[in-house]
Amino acid sequence: MLRVSYTDAAGIIPDSVRTQYMERQRRVLDQVRGGMAEYADSLGWLDPDTWGGSTVQAELTELAAEVRGGADVFVLTGVGGSNNAARAVITALAPDSVPAVCYAGNTLCAYELERLQKTLGSASFYVNVIAKNFETLEPGSAFRVLRSLLYKAYGSGAAARIICTGTPESQLHRLCLEHGWRFLPFPPDIGGRYSAVSPVGLFPMAAAGIDIAQLVQGARGMRRRLFSLDAQENPAYQYACTRNLLYQAGYAIELLSFFEPRLCNFSRWWIQLFAESEGKQGRGVFPSSAQYSEDLHSVGQFVQDGSRLIYETFVEVRNGGASCRIPADGVDDRFNYLDGRDFADINACAFDAVYQAHARILPCFKFSVDTLDAYTFGELFYFCEFACVLSSLLLGVNPFDQPGVEAYKQYLFSALGK
């Protein structure tokens, strides 16, 4: 079960201030749990069973079984919220899955697209292109390249190897009807960054062999907790309120730090969630991440001794699920104190040491989980989404729009002659 704790040894936000603030703002928690009528068209994620229930799971699992039985490679084609959640889970839990998973539609770099084509080579592959409105350049352009490869290899049989996830009655849906491509719904009442527990995230996960029933169960369990706990005991509400108080105190950067490299793509998902939800109207905490212990030898210096702009949120995995002991080989390399020690224990010691050092001078949250599995990811996704909405409302911004993302597109489309 996900456990959330907070340490503020420097007393930046006194406990009494946190308690009073949470009491004053409890209407925001009531607002989210009551359904937020003004955002009704964006709340499909709030109940995991709406777009991730047993019927949806059965349909996705059946299609995923076809892909797993007929492909060497599965190409997940999308950008931002269309692929971040699935990529986070797949790279953490199924890095060597069959079929292998490749990613496209998240870059405009010719080198990367050429390398992908070489990787596919003569492999048998399926393509899942995910685009809510099918106007985003990266997945749209990559899809052209990929379907050209498919039709060249399979002729009319290529249509069965194309699975599109888009909004019903959208341009992508019409293309599916016209060309015989498979279609999955991108829920119209869910924005991309909140779409983990829906066909958007669940189908690619299932295609990689992830137990999506367990992931949905994790999200469902977290929802029960967050809907039942009172404000002062509710971890998502505590987190949201405290991060807003820290922002008011001048802490403008939140660093998500972890000692499991498998969490790298989860951190990318988390960054997008908070950046797009809160970063508007000249407001918002800047979300960033650090992969320890590697980044201790770079940004670790700034975190420990630099300007006080940062607070830190650690993700602790108590059981990494692996063991690797250091052999005693008789060489006097000055590391003999490590003879027989397990890297799992060393990594845990490093986590504790860094947390102690940083928490002496920085406000620090800790998200602690027993292990990394599908259930845990379901908990994490739902917790962060719920907390992000609370935090955005406390900040006074719309959690579900992203007007700034559209600004550069006008220049880009003009330069390309659209």
Side-chain angles (χ1 to χ4, degrees):
M1 183 176 71
L2 172 64
R3 303 171 186 83
V4 181
S5 59
Y6 176 68
T7 302
D8 183 5
I12 305 301
I13 309 295
D15 288 343
S16 60
V17 172
R18 292 179 70 216
T19 300
Q20 292 167 12
Y21 183 78
M22 286 190 285
E23 195 60 35
R24 287 199 312 271
Q25 300 294 339
R26 65 166 51 236
R27 60 174 175 76
V28 175
L29 179 60
D30 295 337
Q31 180 185 1
V32 176
R33 296 199 292 208
M36 297 178 287
E38 66 272 40
Y39 300 120
D41 59 352
S42 301
L43 299 182
W45 60 274
L46 198 55
D47 183 350
D49 285 317
T50 302
W51 289 100
S54 57
T55 301
V56 173
Q57 291 174 36
E59 294 172 352
L60 299 180
T61 301
E62 182 179 359
L63 182 55
E66 177 190 327
V67 173
R68 290 173 61 75
D72 302 315
V73 180
F74 174 74
V75 187
L76 174 53
T77 308
V79 68
S82 293
N83 80 348
N84 277 345
R87 191 173 190 177
V89 176
I90 293 167
T91 54
L93 302 184
D96 302 316
S97 68
V98 177
V101 181
C102 289
Y103 301 91
N106 55 353
T107 181
L108 298 171
C109 175
Y111 182 90
E112 292 301 323
L113 288 164
E114 184 180 83
R115 182 161 66 172
L116 174 62
Q117 292 179 73
K118 291 177 180 177
T119 297
L120 293 174
S122 59
S124 168
F125 69 98
Y126 278 67
V127 172
N128 177 207
V129 58
I130 306 174
K132 185 167 187 176
N133 57 20
F134 201 55
E135 295 177 355
T136 304
L137 184 59
E138 292 91 342
S141 56
F143 184 31
R144 278 201 173 192
V145 173
L146 291 166
R147 70 176 182 259
S148 176
L149 293 176
L150 280 172
Y151 277 100
K152 183 177 179 180
Y154 298 102
S156 60
R161 292 175 170 269
I162 295 173
I163 302 158
C164 300
T165 307
T167 305
E169 301 184 7
S170 65
Q171 171 67 4
L172 187 57
H173 191 192
R174 289 192 290 271
L175 287 170
C176 288
L177 295 173
E178 180 180 349
H179 296 280
W181 305 332
R182 247 79 78 81
F183 182 79
L184 295 173
F186 194 129
D189 57 354
I190 301 181
R193 59 189 180 271
Y194 294 91
S195 65
V197 187
S198 80
V200 176
L202 295 177
F203 174 65
M205 294 178 204
I210 303 299
D211 187 343
I212 60 173
Q214 278 297 299
L215 189 138
V216 175
Q217 186 67 15
R220 192 183 291 130
M222 181 56 68
R223 182 184 192 274
R224 284 196 298 268
R225 285 177 64 192
L226 300 184
F227 269 71
S228 63
L229 292 172
D230 186 56
Q232 296 292 344
E233 288 78 41
N234 192 299
Y237 182 63
Q238 293 173 344
Y239 174 55
C241 287
T242 305
R243 67 193 308 276
N244 272 272
L245 286 169
L246 289 169
Y247 175 64
Q248 294 170 27
Y251 286 79
I253 299 171
E254 181 174 7
L255 194 65
L256 189 77
S257 302
F258 49 93
F259 282 72
E260 284 282 345
R262 290 177 291 163
L263 287 169
C264 181
N265 282 305
F266 173 78
S267 75
R268 295 171 68 94
W269 174 84
W270 176 88
I271 286 170
Q272 187 208 359
L273 175 68
F274 279 92
E276 280 197 344
S277 297
E278 289 195 329
K280 56 198 71 164
Q281 300 176 28
R283 307 176 202 173
V285 172
F286 183 81
S288 188
S289 66
Q291 180 177 303
Y292 295 153
S293 62
E294 181 176 357
D295 287 342
L296 292 173
H297 304 273
S298 56
V299 298
Q301 169 62 37
F302 187 95
V303 174
Q304 194 75 53
D305 287 341
S307 54
R308 291 291 169 255
L309 301 170
I310 296 173
Y311 64 93
E312 203 161 9
T313 297
F314 287 82
V315 182
E316 178 187 36
V317 181
R318 292 184 177 273
N319 182 357
S323 176
C324 179
R325 292 193 177 276
I326 298 177
D329 63 0
V331 176
D332 186 13
D333 59 2
R334 306 291 177 89
F335 288 99
N336 294 340
Y337 63 94
L338 297 175
D339 286 356
R341 296 293 296 267
D342 196 313
F343 271 103
D345 297 330
I346 297 170
N347 204 36
C349 287
F351 182 100
D352 291 340
V354 173
Y355 187 83
Q356 290 180 49
H358 290 190
R360 287 180 57 204
I361 56 172
L362 301 175
C364 289
F365 293 98
K366 184 192 292 184
F367 296 171
S368 182
V369 299
D370 292 329
T371 188
L372 278 184
D373 56 19
Y375 187 93
T376 296
F377 272 104
E379 286 190 308
L380 285 167
F381 285 142
Y382 195 88
F383 175 89
C384 291
E385 289 169 358
F386 193 91
C388 183
V389 171
L390 289 170
S391 188
S392 298
L393 295 176
L394 290 167
L395 190 63
V397 299
N398 182 340
F400 304 111
D401 65 355
Q402 55 277 341
V405 173
E406 305 303 318
Y408 81 90
K409 293 182 180 179
Q410 299 175 25
Y411 296 100
L412 178 58
F413 289 146
S414 176
L416 294 174
K418 179 177 179 180

